[in-house]
Amino acid sequence: MLGVASTSTEAAGRVEELRPDVVLVDVNLAGESGFHLARRLARADDGRDSTVILMSTQEAADLADLIAASPAAGFLAKSDLSAEAIRRILNGGMC
């Protein structure tokens, strides 16, 4: 099932409702922090095992410290976003 959200609050609600396997989070959510949302989702996971993957138009090197401090499973630049890249992260590979 697929869900889309524009704000952190909306996203948290959609994750609670849909219980997805994977949550793609843009680090810039209409003036909100995707990093904050990733932490919020990790705290609220309650065993649902949703894997959070951060993404951005920025490159990983530009956000390295924030990515490292994040509970997200990985990061993808939007230019690298693909099903295969998501699978690599889900299988423990770094992107």
Side-chain angles (χ1 to χ4, degrees):
M1 186 165 288
L2 176 70
V4 178
S6 300
T7 67
S8 295
T9 301
E10 211 179 304
R14 298 296 288 170
V15 168
E16 176 67 27
E17 172 191 350
L18 300 173
R19 300 180 182 257
D21 294 327
V22 177
V23 181
L24 297 175
V25 176
D26 194 322
V27 300
N28 296 308
L29 292 169
E32 297 180 71
S33 170
F35 293 104
H36 176 74
L37 175 59
R39 286 189 296 277
R40 181 177 173 185
L41 293 174
R43 283 192 309 267
D45 189 34
D46 296 336
R48 289 189 297 272
D49 296 323
S50 294
T51 300
V52 175
I53 299 174
L54 296 166
M55 61 181 186
S56 178
T57 56
Q58 295 175 268
E59 295 296 321
D62 299 334
L63 304 165
D65 292 338
L66 292 169
I67 293 168
S70 165
F75 172 87
L76 289 169
K78 286 185 180 179
S79 60
D80 297 329
L81 185 60
S82 69
E84 181 56 35
I86 291 169
R87 274 191 218 94
R88 276 195 306 273
I89 291 173
L90 294 174
N91 291 325
M94 297 302 283
C95 282

